Amino acid sequence: MDGWASAGATRTAHGYRVGMPPSARAVTRTMTEGPRTRLAGRPVQLLLLLAIGLCTLGWLAPAGDGERGATAQLAATAPLGGVNIPGVSAGASAASIDQEIANARALHAKVVRLEVPWNALEPLAPGQLEPRALANADRLMSDAAAAGIGVIALVQSTPCWASSAPASVLKNCVPQGDSAAGSWPPSSPAAVSAFAGFTAFLAQRYASSLAAIEIWNEPDQSNEDYFAGPEKPKRYAAMLKAAYPAIKQADPRVPVLAGSLVGSNGVFLRALYAAGIKGYYDGLSVHFYTLVLGSLRAIHETQLANGDNTPLWLSEFGWTSCWPKYRTQQEQGCVTPAVQAANLSNTYRSLARTPWVAAEVMYKLQGSTGEDFGVLSATGVRKPSFTALAKVFSSPFASPEPVTLSLKRHGSGVTASGSGPVGDYMELEAFRGTRLRYRALFVLDRFNRYSIGLPHVLGTRGLRVRVYQYWAGLGRAAHASI
């Protein structure tokens, strides 16, 4: 999400499915004692879809839950924990660069992700490096290495001289400046080769500091703020297929990340597979801000279905602590500072033993005017999330917060309410004796709470209810009886 704040990218749904269609309301069904089936205000077609979908979600449940028969071995080491920080620019001061790395070190971050803009370092011609931007890149890499922090270098932003933007856009292109032309991919095979050469230069110069080089940012983002023009999968694949061998020739130890995807439904990823990207990356970068765990599961299933077992790098995710001043910010629901801290902790802990996730890099270190995603405020004050993140980076294997559940009678019905950890679909199941009578699939509200009224047909006594998060599985379900 580097640069995402100014882009206003859509983060809530993206038009994509995450395992099942997201819904803020519970999708339910009720099972009665006799042969008749009674529905809680839902058509039969929806009931059938829910039944099929729940089976699918059960199959997609994460490895490691004994009750779901998982067989995958849990990871012995946690994914790399990190944070996004400001990128390379000609105007950054040495003091600000030093402070960014010092703050990342205070967080106990293992990696930082930052933008290394092609147009900032080669604004005028291939191989003609801008000295101030290069000096700042050198300082960032040196500071990070001295702090024992790896750098994920996000390479994007096409220089004016290489951009395929139409003439009407190119005429407003300013070298080293932010302009629409920078989001257009290279204009020719020679320009693609120049891009590959630039990534090779970074690999050769900074190999000892790099955790990875990430090829471009969000090529599937519908607003085209990062990757504009036609034939996106084909053109992105061409850049990746040129950069990967160039980087490996410069230094084979440097991992290459492809994708930088915001969509979890796999449509763009399958198009990239069709364009021949397999074999040209060491990891797949993804950016998920909604139902983070469910989105990771969904994109991982797309990988496996296409014979791809490279690890996922969650290089952007986060929450904005803008509540109660705002309701939404950058098209994300605002939460409180305390909820932001809990969400970050719970996400890292939920993923700590996931063998197919290599890194988790939250967005971002410091907030700014109009954007409160940072663990530092715009003025540099530490939020509760700073302390929470430092703790989880130091000790990632603690359990996430548990699901809670309470049952209360209201007239002729029962209400189930509680809370849970962020990140995935939740399921409520109501039993009479050993028989399942009612099921609801739902998502938590922005404060990670829920309240579901059970159908009156179930009565108010003799019910046993459980609620669980799909990622955590039945082993961490909450139980209550009434």
Side-chain angles (χ1 to χ4, degrees), residues 401-406 416-421 426 448 450 467 476-479:
E401 293 177 356
V403 177
T404 67
L405 167 64
S406 66
S417 60
S419 62
M426 307 287 292
N448 303 327
Y450 67 92
V467 174
R476 290 183 57 83
H479 301 263

Side-chain angles (χ1 to χ4, degrees), residues 337-352:
V339 169
Q340 181 193 44
N343 288 353
L344 290 172
S345 294
N346 287 328
T347 301
Y348 278 99
R349 287 171 175 161
S350 293
L351 292 171

Side-chain angles (χ1 to χ4, degrees), residues 2 83-85 112-114 152 154 214 217 287 315-316:
D2 278 23
V83 61
N84 280 262
I85 67 172
V112 292
R113 177 176 178 262
L114 57 93
I152 301 172
L154 165 63
E214 185 175 349
N217 191 58
H287 302 170
S315 59
E316 284 189 27

Side-chain angles (χ1 to χ4, degrees), residues 7-28:
T10 300
R11 296 287 176 180
T12 51
H14 306 302
Y16 302 118
R17 294 194 309 155
V18 182
M20 286 185 68
S23 173
R25 296 181 178 271
V27 180
T28 62

